[in-house]
């Protein structure tokens, strides 16, 4: 095995180990928050760690960064979680209502509801990267998550496709979920989200130069 191959193999193993490690941290700290209150801050913490990896920040210890982010963002992350959960429950209730009503009302309102569901999905995918990447107010995070998703449809599409592909793998190989369940999806989401942020920043810089 030459040095290039050995280096590539080492890098791959390093990434696999780190992804499995942060997935374990996510599980532990989600349970520590009794799931209901632990999932959102644990998700923000895992996004923070992955963001640092992709931006190639200075070497850092994963555990302290994860724990400090979890504690610092506990209440803000849960506030975001409550809003997203209520929105999802509202749309689910609307969907079930339309299914029970049927007829012309179902035909008229199904398409708009599907559009709203798609937009909420886009917000959910982008709001976590926006949360950890930008210093913004609560509602501005929601707004910008939607706007960035809309102006970067290719990245949004690729994000959804890769998540669907990973979900199929999880369905075929459920034994790997405890090791990579949320962390691998987070890596994919952060990868495409950071691409979107970079693309947006480039457009803004070009517009600024042109003006």
């Amino acid at each position: 095995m030459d040095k290039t191959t050995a280096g590539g193999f080492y890098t791959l193993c390093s990434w696999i180990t780190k992804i499995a490690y942060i997935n374990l941290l996510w599980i532990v700290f989600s349970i520590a928050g009794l799931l209901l209150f632990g999932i959102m801050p644990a998700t923000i913490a895992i996004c923070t760690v992955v963001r640092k990896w992709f931006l190639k920040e200075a070497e850092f210890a994963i555990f302290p960064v994860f724990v400090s982010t979890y504690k610092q963002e506990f209440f803000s992350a849960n506030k975001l979680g409550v809003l997203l959960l209520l929105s999802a429950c509202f749309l689910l209730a609307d969907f079930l209502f339309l299914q029970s009503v049927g007829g012309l009302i179902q035909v008229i309102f199904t398409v708009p509801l599907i559009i709203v569901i798609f937009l909420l999905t886009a917000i959910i995918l982008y709001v976590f990267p926006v949360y950890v990447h930008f210093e913004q107010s609560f509602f501005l995070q929601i707004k910008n998550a939607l706007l960035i998703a809309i102006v970067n449809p290719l990245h949004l599409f690729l994000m959804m496709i890769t998540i669907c592909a990973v979900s199929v793998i999880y369905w075929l190989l459920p034994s790997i979920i405890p090791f990579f369940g949320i962390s691998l999806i987070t890596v994919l989401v952060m990868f495409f989200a950071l691409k979107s942020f970079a693309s947006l920043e480039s457009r803004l810089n070009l517009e600024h130069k042109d003006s």
Side-chain angles (χ1 to χ4, degrees):
M1 184 182 293
D2 57 35
K3 291 183 178 180
T4 302
T5 303
F9 181 73
Y10 173 80
T11 300
L12 176 62
C13 291
S14 176
W15 269 96
I16 291 174
T17 302
K18 291 191 296 185
I19 291 173
Y21 178 51
I22 60 174
N23 197 74
L24 175 61
L25 290 178
W26 184 87
I27 293 173
V28 170
F29 280 85
S30 294
I31 295 173
L34 303 177
L35 291 182
L36 181 62
F37 301 108
I39 288 177
M40 290 300 293
T43 302
I44 294 298
I46 204 174
C47 286
T48 300
V49 171
V50 174
R51 174 184 175 273
K52 286 179 175 291
W53 288 344
F54 279 126
L55 295 183
K56 296 182 176 161
E57 296 189 5
E59 285 294 323
F60 63 95
I62 295 173
F63 186 78
V65 171
F66 193 101
V67 173
S68 62
T69 304
Y70 181 91
K71 292 179 178 178
Q72 181 179 344
E73 304 299 335
F74 189 87
F75 293 105
S76 296
N78 276 301
K79 183 170 68 172
L80 174 62
V82 168
L83 178 61
L84 296 178
L85 180 61
L86 290 177
S87 300
C89 289
F90 177 77
L91 292 179
L92 177 61
D94 285 346
F95 178 78
L96 294 176
F97 172 75
L98 288 178
Q99 296 304 308
S100 64
V101 171
L104 184 60
I105 293 179
Q106 183 183 33
V107 174
I108 294 174
F109 289 100
T110 294
V111 173
L113 181 60
I114 291 175
I115 293 174
V116 174
I117 291 174
F118 176 81
L119 294 177
L120 178 61
T121 302
I123 290 173
I124 291 173
L125 290 175
Y126 268 90
V127 73
F128 295 103
V130 168
Y131 188 110
V132 301
H133 193 74
F134 300 103
E135 290 288 340
Q136 295 178 333
S137 63
F138 178 72
F139 289 104
L140 198 57
Q141 290 170 351
I142 303 292
K143 174 186 173 183
N144 285 340
L146 178 59
L147 291 176
I148 293 172
I150 291 174
V151 299
N152 292 279
L154 177 60
H155 291 150
L156 177 61
F157 174 75
L158 292 174
M159 192 185 293
M160 290 181 169
I161 290 296
T162 52
I163 290 174
C164 288
V166 170
S167 299
V168 172
I169 295 173
Y170 288 165
W171 181 72
L172 295 173
L173 299 171
S175 59
I176 69 173
I177 293 177
F179 302 98
F180 305 105
I182 192 68
S183 58
L184 181 55
I185 290 177
T186 302
V187 167
L188 294 172
V189 168
M190 289 301 301
F191 175 80
F192 289 112
L194 290 174
K195 290 287 186 183
S196 296
F197 300 159
S199 176
L200 181 61
E201 289 171 2
S202 297
R203 293 178 197 173
L204 292 176
N205 289 336
L206 286 175
E207 290 177 1
H208 180 70
K209 290 180 180 179
D210 291 340
S211 62

